[in-house]
């Protein structure tokens, strides 16, 4: 039987355990949790760990006979094996400390990981959360990708041409802002809605008007990379949680074994994943 987070080792009789923290959440291990992982790696493994691309920690070379003991140590410290096979993969989020966050999505990652850590799905399913349009966690090439967005208001007449929003080190990273004739304008095609310029501008010329979440679905990486399609834009974290719940329900009812969300969309169309069609 498939066991969540236990991968066959490269050596006969050994396994790799993929570990995630559900509290605070993977990618934010506490120092105590890191100590536990180091202790397990030293006592039961090779003394080394690997940080996976999906923000889990893999402890390799564990004797299969020691797995139960290892689990007791992990679980006593808020750590769990998971994120493998057809179980929901670890929900990734970018760093809550990044200056470009429209707002940090770490707490949303914790919520989703706790909701879905043990959920089995028809095919590989990953959720990636990005705090802004730079999409460092590859939200656009995930089965479900969330990107926080800022809507900015431009009050051109208030611009003093201080130039802070256009030059290093605080200036717009995608060169969407133009200053001219004592005025400022933002190129909507270039702007990735990170909202950073509204922190930089001290003259209320660039102001944060609102925030939202763009939801992309059907993306994938790997040998057949695919860009996700924009699914919806919603206002709150709770909306994101509700939309994902509905989407996973539909996906589970229509997908064939092993079929990822992007393949369902190709076979049945985007509407097949809409709740209204599933009651
Ligand atoms: S996606 Fe944006 S907020 Fe997240 S790490 Fe990258 S730059 Fe920072
Ligand atoms: S114009 Fe402002 S919100 Fe748009 S990308 Fe540049 S810094 Fe971000
Ligand atoms: S930071 Fe504000 S005031 Fe300064 S140039 Fe940019 S828009 Fe104008």
């Amino acid at each position: 039987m498939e066991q969540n987070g236990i991968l066959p080792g490269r050596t006969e009789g050994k396994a790799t355990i993929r570990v995630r923290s559900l509290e605070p959440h993977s990618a934010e291990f506490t120092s105590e949790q890191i100590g536990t992982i180091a202790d397990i790696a030293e006592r039961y493994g090779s003394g080394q760990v690997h940080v996976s691309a999906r923000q889990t920690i893999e402890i390799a070379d564990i004797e299969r006979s020691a797995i139960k003991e290892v689990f007791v140590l992990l679980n006593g410290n808020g750590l769990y094996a998971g994120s493998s096979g057809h179980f929901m993969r670890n929900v990734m989020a970018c760093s809550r400390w990044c200056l470009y966050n429209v707002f940090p999505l770490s707490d949303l990652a914790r919520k989703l990981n706790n909701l879905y850590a043990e959920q089995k799905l028809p095919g590989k399913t990953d959720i990636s959360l990005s705090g802004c349009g730079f999409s460092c966690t590859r939200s656009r090439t995930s089965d479900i990708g969330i990107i926080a967005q800022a809507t900015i208001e431009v009050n051109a007449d208030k611009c003093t041409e201080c130039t802070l929003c256009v030059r290093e080190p605080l200036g717009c990273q995608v060169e969407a802002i133009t200053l001219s004739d004592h005025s400022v304008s933002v190129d909507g095609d270039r702007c990735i809605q990170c909202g950073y310029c509204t922190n930089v501008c001290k003259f209320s010329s660039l102001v944060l008007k609102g925030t939202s979440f763009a939801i992309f679905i059907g993306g994938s990486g790997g040998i057949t990379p695919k860009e996700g399609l924009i699914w919806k834009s919603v206002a709150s974290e709770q909306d994101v949680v509700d939309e994902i719940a509905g989407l996973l329900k539909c996906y589970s009812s229509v997908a064939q074994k092993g079929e990822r969300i992007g393949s369902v969309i190709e076979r049945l169309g985007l509407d097949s994943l809409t709740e209204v069609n599933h009651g």
Side-chain angles (χ1 to χ4, degrees):
M1 195 178 70
E2 182 185 357
Q3 280 185 283
N4 196 5
I6 301 178
L7 314 170
R10 291 182 73 90
T11 311
E12 184 69 25
K14 297 203 175 183
T16 297
I17 299 183
R18 190 171 281 167
V19 179
R20 56 184 172 185
S21 146
L22 295 184
E23 187 69 41
H25 89 95
S26 291
E28 287 186 13
F29 295 88
T30 65
S31 50
E32 208 180 334
Q33 288 172 330
I34 290 170
T36 300
I37 290 167
D39 191 36
I40 292 170
E42 243 172 65
R43 280 164 63 187
Y44 302 97
S46 63
Q48 292 182 316
V49 299
H50 169 246
V51 180
S52 77
R54 286 209 71 77
Q55 302 181 336
T56 64
I57 292 183
E58 295 173 340
I59 315 176
D61 282 337
I62 304 281
E63 291 286 352
R64 284 196 171 265
S65 57
I67 286 177
K68 265 194 181 158
E69 267 171 71
V70 169
F71 273 24
V72 170
L73 291 171
L74 289 173
N75 298 164
N77 224 325
L79 298 165
Y80 298 86
S83 191
S84 65
H86 286 185
F87 290 96
M88 174 65 86
R89 298 306 173 95
N90 188 46
V91 178
M92 281 206 301
C94 53
S95 162
R96 75 167 77 230
W97 295 283
C98 177
L99 292 178
Y100 289 99
N101 271 306
V102 173
F103 40 80
L105 298 183
S106 313
D107 293 336
L108 179 58
R110 171 171 44 203
K111 195 179 279 183
L112 292 169
N113 264 325
N114 277 284
L115 277 172
Y116 296 118
E118 294 301 327
Q119 176 147 1
K120 242 184 159 180
L121 291 149
K124 181 179 174 183
T125 308
D126 53 30
I127 302 177
S128 306
L129 315 178
S130 293
C132 83
F134 283 108
S135 190
C136 295
T137 56
R138 307 187 301 277
S139 296
R140 287 197 184 87
T141 48
S142 295
D143 296 282
I144 303 173
I146 310 296
I147 299 181
Q149 294 185 314
T151 309
I152 61 171
E153 185 177 88
V154 182
N155 300 314
D157 54 325
K158 292 190 175 167
C159 179
T160 62
E161 282 193 279
C162 73
T163 72
L164 276 182
C165 63
V166 293
R167 66 178 157 87
E168 293 286 346
L170 303 176
C172 175
Q173 297 291 301
V174 293
E175 297 179 359
I177 301 175
T178 306
L179 302 179
S180 61
D181 299 330
H182 306 292
S183 183
V184 60
S185 61
V186 173
D187 180 341
D189 290 335
R190 292 184 86 102
C191 173
I192 54 144
Q193 293 183 270
C194 69
Y196 190 62
C197 53
T198 66
N199 296 328
V200 170
C201 179
K202 301 299 175 207
F203 299 93
S204 303
S205 187
L206 300 168
V207 181
L208 183 66
K209 203 171 152 200
T211 56
S212 61
F213 299 86
I215 305 178
F216 294 82
I217 63 170
S220 58
I223 50 171
T224 49
K226 211 182 290 176
E227 185 103 351
L229 303 170
I230 181 75
W231 169 245
K232 284 177 186 178
S233 181
V234 296
S236 70
E237 285 197 359
Q238 189 54 49
D239 292 340
V240 172
V241 172
D242 294 344
E243 288 295 340
I244 289 177
L247 176 66
L248 291 177
K249 187 174 150 207
C250 300
Y251 167 55
S252 297
S253 72
V254 297
Q256 295 168 351
K257 196 163 182 247
E259 198 175 35
R260 290 180 73 163
I261 290 175
S263 302
V264 170
I265 294 171
E266 274 170 16
R267 183 169 61 86
L268 298 173
L270 210 52
D271 284 352
S272 66
L273 295 170
T274 305
E275 255 194 299
V276 75
N277 293 327
H278 297 269

